[in-house]
Amino acid sequence: MAGGLSAGVAALAVAELTSVAVRPEASPLTAVGGAVIDRTPAAVQDFAIRTFGDQDKLALQLGIVALLVLSALSLGLLSLRRPRTGAAGVLAFGAAGAAAALERPEAGPAAAVPSALGALAGAGVLLLLAARLTEVPSPAREFTDPEPAAPGGPGTSAGDAGRPASAASFDRRGFAVTAGAVLAGSAGAGLLGRRLNGSRRARAAASRSSVVLPAPASRAAPVPRGADLGIDGVEPFVTPGKDFYRVDTALTVPRVDVAGWRLRVHGRGVRRPLTLAFDDLLDRKLIERHITLTCVSNQVGGSYAGNARWLGVPLADLLREAGVRPPSRGGPADQLVARSVDGMTLGSPVETVMDGRDALLAVGMNGEPLPFEHGFPVRMVVPGLYGYVSACKWLRDLELTTFDDYDVYWVKRDWAREAPVKTQSRIDTPKPLASVRPGRVRVAGVAWAQHRGIERVEVRVDDGPWRKAALAEEDSRDTWRQWVWEWRATPGSHRLQVRATDGRGVTQTAERVGTVPDGATGRHSVVVDVT
């Protein structure tokens, strides 16, 4: 078993080190993890996001490592009797890793090299260690058969009579030395790979630190004094970057050096294709807006919503500069496909991003360059659309096409092509199953209906009448609104329920529907004990 583990460690170490020279996405863990994500049904992915949150990638990687450990142990045992079969098993795993790496977006033939070299190294180590545990003859031991002795006396016992003239032994010392050398070499390769990857990350971090965001040509309006009610337990009006939700498929966060970054705008109806460097975007007239984003995987009452102050280039202006017209004005393209540096594709309606709303190519978040986790150097932000059809992070390409001609990543996995954000409201305090004292209790939370705004929020206790809550001041119709209702709590167990009405007068439905294919519906409720 130790031989199998040593071979597995060696294979991964060699593959990870080699991937530094090829591309980070070619490492076996990343490539296989990406392939697993791509083949996972939408409902299962949604379950993973709900269950593990932003730790879903870590859970997947740990699962892959656990499977590899079990496989390595099995191959190690197999190699004791059939070394070549065990080595073939290692090569098979390498082939799977190479195939997964070749499937990744933008992968060339070289993407298969890390897994292939790692498998060859692992197979070689397994054969070498198996040879150390193969039976080898020991020097012959001669036995002189003296005169028979009396039972119990000196001489040869009855058991000695059948002993062979030679015995089998194992080179345990050689095995231990070889395994130790393999592990030491693997550790060295791993440390070297970490160091090289660290240098790459350091260059990206330095490029981000060097960015000086220009003053916006159009600043965000000051947040109204009454927009944040300051109630304990209610999420603040502006979500700090460290607390902003993260939902994506990237197993490792892309770290892009802006020196080599370019954005290409091309496709159907583009009369003047554009290729822009990061500084080209910063030299344009930037606008600053507070915009609330929501993930389509957000369950009723969930936390995958956040509000930030974004700085960026108006997307519609850029498209018009490229000669793009929306379909309503005769444009041939109805879908804008955004591609990220890790190959993700998201599709937005051209009509929507050019209808006058503040759709942005964002370069800043809450007064600083985008964090790597949230898309540095550039991401899309489109108020009123769920993130999976608009909020492409680590953006590198914009292609104009049609919905009929091209299905983006999530559409291929049974999510809807178009997905405007649905009206939702959430109770932040009191928490579910909380115990509160009789008397005056503040029931409070947030509500959102981006690009339509929130007109009214109502709360009811058990099956009683709906009571109108007090709304915080509205910043804009593209941001969420806090609300509060004063409840005269009476002893007992009670269910609190909330609903919101958007700026068009439409009240959120009570029908409970899951997130697939275009967002959850229903009304959030919590049960509390008044004692």
Side-chain angles (χ1 to χ4, degrees), residues 342-373:
D342 68 343
M344 173 56 66
T345 56
L346 304 182
S348 306
V350 174
E351 194 71 45
T352 299
V353 300
M354 298 187 74
D355 69 358
R357 72 186 68 199
D358 290 319
L360 302 176
L361 298 184
V363 298
M365 178 183 184
N366 291 341
E368 62 179 33
L370 292 171
F372 286 113
E373 293 78 4

Side-chain angles (χ1 to χ4, degrees), residues 384-519:
L385 298 182
Y386 282 119
Y388 87 100
V389 294
S390 66
C392 186
K393 295 185 282 191
W394 314 294
L395 183 66
R396 67 165 183 82
D397 187 273
L398 292 173
E399 180 184 1
L400 278 298
T401 182
T402 67
F403 285 108
D404 289 338
D405 285 345
Y406 188 81
D407 284 341
V408 293
Y409 183 90
W410 291 112
V411 172
K412 293 176 181 178
R413 288 155 181 82
D414 300 325
W415 294 82
R417 287 178 172 180
E418 300 186 44
V421 173
K422 297 177 180 179
T423 302
Q424 283 292 322
S425 51
R426 186 181 74 203
I427 299 172
D428 285 348
T429 184
K431 300 297 182 185
L433 304 181
S435 293
V436 299
R437 298 180 66 85
R440 180 174 171 270
V441 175
R442 279 184 164 185
V443 181
V446 291
W448 58 84
Q450 292 94 306
H451 208 58
R452 301 186 304 277
I454 293 295
E455 178 182 287
R456 184 171 66 252
V457 171
E458 298 165 290
V459 182
R460 72 174 176 182
V461 181
D462 301 322
D463 294 322
W466 289 101
R467 305 293 187 183
K468 190 174 181 180
L471 288 175
E473 290 294 323
E474 182 180 68
D475 179 80
S476 78
R477 62 180 181 169
D478 290 336
T479 62
W480 58 14
R481 292 184 79 174
Q482 295 183 1
W483 57 268
V484 61
W485 177 63
E486 302 288 344
W487 175 36
R488 296 292 180 180
T490 58
S493 178
H494 298 284
R495 184 169 74 102
L496 304 172
Q497 189 176 23
V498 63
R499 69 180 185 185
T501 300
D502 68 18
R504 298 174 183 172
V506 179
T507 300
Q508 71 180 95
T509 178
E511 182 183 2
R512 199 81 175 204
V513 174
T515 57
V516 182
D518 60 356

Side-chain angles (χ1 to χ4, degrees), residues 62-104:
L62 290 176
I64 293 174
V65 169
L67 178 61
L68 290 176
V69 168
L70 292 175
S71 300
L73 292 173
S74 300
L75 291 174
L77 286 173
L78 179 62
S79 67
L80 293 177
R81 293 184 177 273
R82 296 185 176 88
R84 292 182 180 179
T85 305
V90 175
L91 294 176
F93 272 93
L102 289 172
E103 285 184 353
R104 304 317 299 153

Side-chain angles (χ1 to χ4, degrees), residues 81-401:
R81 293 184 177 273
R82 296 185 176 88
R84 292 182 180 179
T85 305
V90 175
L91 294 176
F93 272 93
L102 289 172
E103 285 184 353
R104 304 317 299 153
E106 311 300 322
V113 172
S115 291
L117 290 182
L120 289 172
V125 167
L126 191 62
L127 289 173
L128 179 62
L129 292 176
R132 296 293 186 181
L133 291 180
T134 302
E135 290 186 343
V136 296
S138 62
R141 291 165 54 191
E142 299 294 337
F143 295 99
T144 302
D145 211 359
E147 293 293 328
T156 303
S157 68
D160 288 331
R163 181 178 295 177
S166 64
S169 65
F170 299 97
D171 187 6
R172 292 182 175 86
R173 178 181 177 86
F175 176 87
V177 170
T178 304
V182 167
L183 292 175
S186 300
L191 289 173
L192 178 58
R194 180 178 291 272
R195 185 182 184 92
L196 293 174
N197 276 322
S199 298
R200 177 180 293 173
R201 289 193 295 269
R203 289 194 299 272
S207 74
R208 180 180 180 273
S209 298
S210 67
V211 171
V212 178
L213 296 177
S218 173
R219 292 187 178 277
V223 176
R225 183 172 297 180
D228 195 322
L229 299 176
I231 298 174
D232 288 342
V234 177
E235 192 164 345
F237 177 75
V238 175
T239 308
K242 64 181 179 61
D243 297 329
F244 207 94
Y245 74 92
R246 179 197 163 200
V247 176
D248 53 58
T249 64
L251 284 175
T252 56
V253 174
R255 294 181 179 268
V256 181
D257 186 339
V258 295
W261 179 87
R262 296 293 184 273
L263 174 66
R264 183 181 175 214
V265 182
H266 62 105
R268 297 183 62 172
V270 176
R271 289 177 288 180
R272 293 176 292 278
L274 303 174
T275 300
L276 303 169
F278 187 68
D279 285 343
D280 294 332
L281 293 182
L282 296 188
D283 289 341
R284 292 171 174 266
K285 291 183 178 180
L286 306 183
I287 66 173
E288 183 183 61
R289 298 290 186 268
H290 288 104
I291 297 172
T292 297
L293 299 185
T294 309
C295 178
V296 73
S297 293
N298 197 48
Q299 293 286 336
V300 173
S303 60
Y304 294 144
N307 186 55
R309 178 164 48 94
W310 305 96
L311 175 71
V313 175
L315 177 56
D317 291 353
L318 191 70
L319 294 177
R320 280 191 285 267
E321 182 179 323
V324 176
R325 291 173 298 156
S328 61
R329 297 191 178 184
D334 61 6
Q335 179 180 207
L336 177 65
V337 175
R339 290 184 175 86
S340 73
V341 299
D342 68 343
M344 173 56 66
T345 56
L346 304 182
S348 306
V350 174
E351 194 71 45
T352 299
V353 300
M354 298 187 74
D355 69 358
R357 72 186 68 199
D358 290 319
L360 302 176
L361 298 184
V363 298
M365 178 183 184
N366 291 341
E368 62 179 33
L370 292 171
F372 286 113
E373 293 78 4
H374 295 296
F376 180 83
V378 179
R379 70 170 295 165
M380 277 178 57
V381 173
V382 183
L385 298 182
Y386 282 119
Y388 87 100
V389 294
S390 66
C392 186
K393 295 185 282 191
W394 314 294
L395 183 66
R396 67 165 183 82
D397 187 273
L398 292 173
E399 180 184 1
L400 278 298
T401 182

